[in-house]
Amino acid sequence: MKIEVNKISKVYPSGKQALQDINIQMESPNLIGILGPNGAGKTTLMKLLIAGLTPTKGEILLNRKKLLSQEKEMKSQLGYLPQNFGLFDELTVWQFVDYMAALKGIQDKQAIETVLTQVNLWEQRKTRIRRLSGGMRQRVGIAQALLGNPQLIILDEPTVGLDPEERVKFRNLFSEIAQDKIVLLSTHIVEDVQSICNRVLVLNNGRVLFDGEPADLIAQTTGHVGVFTSQIGDPVPEGCQVVSKVNTAKGIQIRIFANELPDFAETAEPTLEDAYLYCIEKGAEAL
C-alpha cells in the first residue's frame, strides 16, 4: 500500500486553518508516530486519511489513485480506533466484535476469533463489556480495528489512561501488527513513539515540522540539552526551557533545552522527548 498526501490544507467553516500545505508519503511496512500538542492538526489529518473529511486544497492518493474516488475500497483496507471509541456495555466482547464485523461486511466468524486471540481477549469473549478493565476495553477497540486484516491502521491516543504494564503490552502488539502494514499512532506519550516507531511526524499549528527517523530528530537536538542543580526559588536562565525538575540531596536537578546552553549547565544526551519539545519550540520561533 502507498499513500501520498499532496499539498493538503484544511480550513473549517469557522475559519480555523487546521492544516497548511501538508506533504507526506507512506508505504508499508511502516509504524509512524504522530506527535504534536493539542490543536496541532493530528486528528484532522487522520480524518482526512479515512475520508471522514474532505480537504480544502490538495489531494490524497491511495496507490496512485485519488482517495475520494475509491472511498469504498479504502475503507475495506482500513482499521480505525478513534480516541473516544464508544462500546455497548451490555454486549459481550464477542457480540460487540461480531456487530462491528457485520458493519464491515465480514461474515467469517473465524475473523472474530483471530482478532480476539491477537489481542489476548479470547478467554473474555463471553464477558460483558461493562465488566472489563480500562485496558481490556482498549483491547476490544483494537480488536475491531484489526478485523479483516486491514493494510492501514490508524490509532488515536490508544494508550491514554493505561497503566505502564498495559502500555508496554500495547506497544508490543502495535509492533507485531505493523510487520506488513502502515500503522499510524497518534499520541502525546513520546515514550511510546521512541519505543516502537521507525518514523516520526511532528505537527504544530497545522504544519509538519519534522518527518523522518527518531534518531535524526534526536541528532538535531544534540548540544541543546543540559542539566544543572539549582535551589528552590532560583530563576531559570533566560532563553532556556525546562523539561523536568527532580529533587535530589544536593538540590533540584533541572533539565533544560536552549539554542545556547548556559556555561554552568552540563550537556546531556537528548531523548526523543527533548528533541520533540525542542522541535516544537523552534517551529514556534519560525512563525
Side-chain angles (χ1 to χ4, degrees):
M1 172 178 282
K2 182 175 183 179
I3 299 172
E4 299 169 77
V5 178
N6 296 327
K7 296 184 178 179
I8 286 291
S9 293
K10 178 62 182 178
V11 180
Y12 286 105
S14 64
K16 177 184 177 180
Q17 180 144 26
L19 294 175
Q20 303 179 54
D21 295 322
I22 299 291
N23 291 288
I24 307 168
Q25 292 198 6
M26 297 173 277
E27 289 189 71
S28 55
N30 223 330
L31 179 48
I32 304 169
I34 305 177
L35 296 173
N38 290 332
K42 303 188 300 297
T43 298
T44 298
L45 175 60
M46 288 184 287
K47 287 183 177 179
L48 287 167
L49 289 171
I50 66 170
L53 291 174
T54 55
T56 305
K57 186 177 71 173
E59 63 181 6
I60 299 176
L61 304 180
L62 172 62
N63 297 328
R64 302 189 183 280
K65 298 179 182 179
K66 290 185 178 181
L67 175 64
L68 294 178
S69 69
Q70 49 179 336
E71 185 176 339
K72 185 176 180 180
E73 178 183 349
M74 182 277 298
K75 290 189 175 179
S76 71
Q77 302 181 61
L78 172 70
Y80 179 45
L81 177 66
Q83 182 176 355
N84 298 311
F85 183 72
L87 299 173
F88 299 116
D89 285 351
E90 293 307 312
L91 296 182
T92 66
V93 171
W94 177 278
Q95 288 170 337
F96 178 79
V97 179
D98 185 34
Y99 169 72
M100 296 302 296
L103 292 181
K104 292 185 176 184
I106 299 171
Q107 299 179 357
D108 183 7
K109 301 303 181 183
Q110 181 63 42
I112 301 172
E113 181 177 347
T114 297
V115 296
L116 290 182
T117 301
Q118 201 169 3
V119 301
N120 294 322
L121 280 178
W122 179 248
E123 296 299 322
Q124 290 78 29
R125 65 190 182 279
K126 297 180 181 180
T127 303
R128 295 194 186 277
I129 288 174
R130 60 180 167 81
R131 297 179 57 190
L132 299 179
S133 67
M136 287 184 176
R137 293 172 70 93
Q138 286 289 76
R139 286 183 179 273
V140 175
I142 293 289
Q144 64 80 31
L146 297 181
L147 280 167
N149 192 31
Q151 294 305 296
L152 171 63
I153 299 175
I154 299 177
L155 307 166
D156 191 358
E157 299 287 359
T159 62
V160 167
L162 300 182
D163 61 44
E165 183 179 359
E166 277 290 335
R167 280 178 45 219
V168 171
K169 290 178 180 177
F170 271 95
R171 292 202 299 250
N172 291 337
L173 176 60
F174 301 154
S175 293
E176 291 172 9
I177 64 179
Q179 296 303 310
D180 59 350
K181 299 173 175 57
I182 297 174
V183 178
L184 296 179
L185 172 63
S186 174
T187 181
H188 285 90
I189 304 174
V190 181
E191 183 183 352
D192 289 347
V193 175
Q194 184 163 3
S195 298
I196 60 173
C197 293
N198 61 286
R199 180 176 169 188
V200 59
L201 290 173
V202 179
L203 294 180
N204 197 22
N205 295 315
R207 298 180 183 274
V208 175
L209 302 184
F210 179 85
D211 179 4
E213 296 182 11
D216 291 336
L217 180 59
I218 292 172
Q220 293 182 7
T221 316
T222 300
H224 296 287
V225 179
V227 294
F228 65 93
T229 300
S230 181
Q231 302 300 319
I232 295 176
D234 288 350
V236 176
E238 186 176 351
C240 298
Q241 299 292 327
V242 175
V243 177
S244 65
K245 296 182 179 181
V246 178
N247 287 310
T248 71
K250 296 181 179 180
I252 303 172
Q253 186 181 73
I254 299 180
R255 188 178 184 90
I256 59 171
F257 64 82
N259 290 331
E260 294 186 15
L261 295 173
D263 294 338
F264 54 81
E266 180 182 350
T267 302
E269 184 72 22
T271 65
L272 185 61
E273 182 175 22
D274 298 326
Y276 159 65
L277 293 172
Y278 185 65
C279 181
I280 291 292
E281 184 69 18
K282 291 293 291 180
E285 291 175 2
L287 293 177

